[in-house]
């Protein structure tokens, strides 16, 4: 069955929908049929082979069943306004929004479309259309669920907004195409957490598109914690639009997934806009983690700062492609980019490609990348202080990640990352002090 027919059959089973949604689905299906899956002959995908996705025989899920006890064991123990999706299907039983501030709306995409589809139709797809990539076209063809977050001008959300995406160990592998839409009004403030996790035996495919729109002076901190099962396949496109004096901070933390691709695009459209891209990816076994970032300085006096750290063990492979583009007449901008990678195995591999593209002359820009291994002298120095080799290596690895992790304000997220990167450390240690000592020893 062709993609358009599969999409239409799915829609018919669920009933009528607005004409504009049907038209966009058809456009997405047609675009994907024309393009097909990307291959390594495509420059943007030259280091990432998606045949595991292309060959997969995936089905769409209709069930949101997931044991509350099992969910509690793997989800973040954090007080938040919580929406939960199981294999792409909204789960009311595992969601708890609590009392939201006045002027703030957080709801499933299906509900937003049912209540006022015209309000969703304008912004949905404006930043990430079917032309962006074959995966965004595929998402558009099948989009039916996700989250809509609206922040009224001046509103402040004290507790984080947590979007949980749970993956089950199904009899047949499942595909889901979530959509996230955030409209942050002028001078609004919020923290958004996107958490991908699941049962250890799950082997599903998630293809997510997020569109985040920040009006003048809005502040949004976005944590993406990806700890999907190692057999899961994960593709995500995150597109951010920033107006004057807005500030967007991204923490892109990737720990799981067998094949992972993240595209993060920032459009700095107003003077005073600031974008901070912080990333950490940790791969082991045969994981493949690919991060592509792009900061478009479309207006003068804009600022971008990027720091990505990669840690790879066993036969894992990482990709980092970061690009800063300064458009013509975008004077007095600052764009900084750094990527450092740590290889814990001789068989691990990283492909790094930092880029600058500048069409203005009054700018401050820099970029760089480094790759290395643990300093054996630093390992030895820690062992002389009574620390076993495994713990010493864990501490030094954690110290390497520290430049990014020290900026993470949420303990529940920091602890997940520290456990994955460094393992279970003995409780008798003063972790902060030892990490500081490890950094000092490494510098010596």
């Amino acid at each position: 069955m062709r993609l358009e027919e599969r999409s239409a059959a799915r829609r018919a089973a669920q009933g009528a929908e607005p004409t504009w949604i049907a038209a966009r689905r058809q456009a997405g299906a047609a675009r994907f049929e024309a393009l097909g899956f990307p291959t390594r002959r495509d420059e943007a995908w030259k280091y990432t082979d998606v045949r595991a996705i292309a060959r997969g025989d995936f089905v769409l899920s209709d069930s949101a069943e997931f044991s509350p006890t099992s969910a509690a064991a793997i989800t973040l123990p954090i007080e938040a306004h919580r929406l939960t999706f199981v294999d792409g299907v909204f789960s009311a039983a595992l969601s708890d929004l609590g009392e939201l501030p006045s002027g703030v709306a957080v709801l499933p995409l299906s509900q937003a479309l049912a209540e006022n589809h015209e309000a969703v139709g304008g912004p949905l797809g404006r930043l990430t259309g079917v032309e962006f990539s074959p995966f965004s076209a595929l998402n558009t063809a099948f989009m039916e669920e996700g989250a809509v977050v609206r922040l009224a001008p001046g509103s402040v959300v004290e507790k984080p907004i947590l979007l949980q995406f749970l993956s089950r160990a199904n009899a047949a592998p499942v595909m889901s195409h979530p959509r996230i839409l955030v409209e942050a009004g002028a001078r609004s403030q919020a923290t958004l957490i996107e958490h991908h996790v699941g049962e250890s035996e799950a082997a599903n495919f998630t293809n997510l598109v997020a569109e985040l729109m920040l009006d003048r002076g809005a502040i949004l901190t976005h944590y993406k914690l990806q700890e999907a099962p190692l057999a899961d396949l994960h593709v995500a496109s995150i597109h951010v639009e920033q107006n004057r004096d807005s500030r967007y901070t991204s923490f892109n933390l990737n720990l799981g997934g067998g094949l992972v691709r993240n595209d993060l695009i920032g459009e700095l459209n107003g003077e005073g806009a600031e974008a901070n891209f912080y990333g950490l990816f940790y791969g082991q076994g045969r994981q493949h983690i690919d991060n592509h970032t792009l900061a478009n300085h479309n207006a003068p006096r804009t600022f971008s700062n990027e720091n990505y750290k990669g840690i790879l063990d066993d036969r894992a492979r990482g990709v980092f492609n970061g690009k800063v583009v300064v458009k013509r007449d975008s004077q007095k901008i600052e764009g900084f980019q750094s990527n450092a990678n740590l290889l814990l195995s001789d068989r691990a591999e990283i492909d790094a490609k930092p880029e600058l593209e500048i069409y203005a002359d009054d700018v401050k820009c820099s970029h760089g990348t480094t790759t290395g291994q643990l300093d054996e002298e630093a390992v030895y120095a820690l062992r002389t202080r009574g620390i076993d080799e495994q713990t010493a290596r864990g501490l030094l690895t954690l110290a390497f990640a520290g430049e990014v992790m020290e900026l993470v304000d949420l303990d529940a997220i920091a602890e997940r990352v520290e456990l994955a990167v460094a393992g279970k450390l003995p409780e008798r240690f003063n972790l902060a002090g030892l990490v500081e000592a490890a950094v000092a020893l490494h510098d010596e």
Side-chain angles (χ1 to χ4, degrees):
M1 183 183 292
R2 288 169 52 84
L3 180 63
E4 290 184 71
E5 294 170 343
R6 291 181 64 187
S7 180
R10 174 78 169 186
R11 303 285 78 73
Q14 295 181 338
E17 63 183 6
T19 304
W20 67 264
I21 298 180
R24 291 189 195 181
R25 292 194 199 285
Q26 292 171 5
R31 180 62 176 168
F32 181 79
E33 293 280 6
L35 293 175
F37 285 102
T39 71
R40 297 182 69 175
R41 291 191 296 270
D42 299 306
E43 181 64 25
W45 296 86
K46 66 183 296 184
Y47 298 118
T48 298
D49 187 345
V50 301
R51 283 180 293 178
I53 299 174
R55 294 172 177 173
D57 187 14
F58 301 104
V59 299
L60 293 165
S61 176
D62 290 310
S63 171
E65 292 183 6
F66 203 100
S67 163
T69 302
S70 299
I74 60 176
T75 53
L76 289 171
I78 189 171
E79 187 177 352
H81 305 288
R82 189 180 307 248
L83 280 184
T84 303
F85 304 87
V86 178
D87 292 335
V89 180
F90 173 63
S91 171
L94 298 176
S95 300
D96 183 8
L97 288 174
E99 185 175 349
L100 290 163
S102 177
V104 174
V106 180
L107 62 165
L109 175 62
S110 56
Q111 181 181 340
L113 289 171
E115 292 180 354
N116 188 354
H117 70 86
E118 293 179 350
V120 178
L124 192 69
R126 185 167 63 81
L127 299 183
T128 310
V130 298
E131 302 294 328
F132 176 71
S133 77
F135 287 102
S136 67
L138 187 62
N139 176 284
T140 303
F142 284 100
M143 65 175 180
E144 59 188 53
E145 195 54 279
V148 174
V149 178
R150 296 194 184 97
L151 310 175
S155 60
V156 177
V157 187
E158 298 291 347
K159 294 193 299 185
I161 298 168
L162 173 57
L163 308 179
Q164 296 181 155
F165 296 91
L166 308 184
S167 181
R168 291 179 302 185
N170 299 290
V174 167
M175 67 175 178
S176 61
H177 304 275
R179 201 87 180 199
I180 298 175
L181 176 63
V182 177
E183 297 177 274
R187 302 175 305 284
S188 62
Q189 297 182 36
T191 295
L192 178 71
I193 303 173
E194 184 187 330
H195 187 206
H196 299 265
V197 69
E199 296 176 325
S200 60
E201 300 302 316
N204 302 314
F205 166 44
T206 298
N207 175 32
L208 180 140
V209 170
E211 297 173 289
L212 316 177
M213 304 167 190
L214 281 64
D215 206 344
R216 181 170 184 166
I219 299 174
L220 181 67
T221 301
H222 179 197
Y223 290 92
K224 180 181 179 182
L225 177 60
Q226 192 277 111
E227 5 176 41
L230 293 181
D232 263 15
L233 310 169
H234 182 94
V235 176
S237 303
I238 303 169
H239 214 134
V240 187
E241 179 185 66
Q242 293 186 241
N243 286 327
R244 186 183 184 98
D245 298 326
S246 62
R247 184 168 77 242
Y248 172 74
T249 301
S250 165
F251 290 94
N252 186 10
L253 309 171
N254 287 271
L255 309 176
L259 172 63
V260 178
R261 168 63 179 249
N262 291 299
D263 282 279
L264 173 59
I265 302 95
E267 305 285 354
L268 289 84
N269 293 339
E271 291 191 24
E274 174 185 332
N276 299 293
F277 295 171
Y278 302 117
L280 177 69
F281 53 98
Y282 173 69
Q284 55 188 317
R286 299 186 70 95
Q287 283 181 269
H288 183 102
I289 304 173
D290 180 350
N291 286 297
H292 272 58
T293 67
L294 171 61
N296 278 322
H297 289 264
N298 301 322
R301 297 181 178 82
T302 51
F303 174 81
S304 68
N305 178 51
E306 179 169 10
N307 191 356
Y308 265 62
K309 298 269 191 170
I311 303 170
L312 300 169
D313 201 354
D314 304 322
R315 299 185 67 178
R317 184 173 184 179
V319 180
F320 172 79
N321 191 144
K323 188 173 184 178
V324 176
V325 178
V326 181
K327 300 295 176 64
R328 194 174 304 278
D329 298 326
S330 293
Q331 307 290 358
K332 299 188 182 302
I333 72 97
E334 296 183 16
F336 304 108
Q337 182 189 109
S338 175
N339 166 235
N341 304 289
L342 179 64
L343 303 183
L344 302 178
S345 163
D346 292 337
R347 295 181 297 175
E349 184 178 346
I350 180 72
D351 295 290
K353 186 182 178 184
E355 299 179 76
L356 292 177
E357 193 173 308
I358 303 173
Y359 300 96
D361 52 18
D362 187 4
V363 303
K364 294 181 181 179
C365 291
S366 67
H367 68 165
T369 182
T370 61
T371 299
Q373 296 178 313
L374 285 179
D375 187 336
E376 293 300 326
E377 292 185 4
V379 175
Y380 176 76
L382 282 176
R383 294 195 67 190
T384 63
R385 286 159 170 75
I387 300 172
D388 65 87
E389 182 174 359
Q390 181 178 351
T391 302
R393 291 183 179 278
L395 284 169
L396 286 171
T397 304
L398 190 56
F400 172 81
E403 194 175 359
V404 170
M405 293 310 300
E406 68 184 7
L407 301 173
V408 174
D409 288 333
L410 299 176
D411 291 343
I413 292 178
E415 289 169 5
R416 291 289 183 98
V417 177
E418 290 170 2
L419 181 62
V421 169
K424 181 71 173 175
L425 296 173
E427 295 181 1
R428 69 178 185 278
F429 288 143
N430 178 338
L431 180 59
L434 280 174
V435 169
E436 185 177 345
V439 173
L441 285 166
H442 185 275
D443 291 341
E444 290 175 7

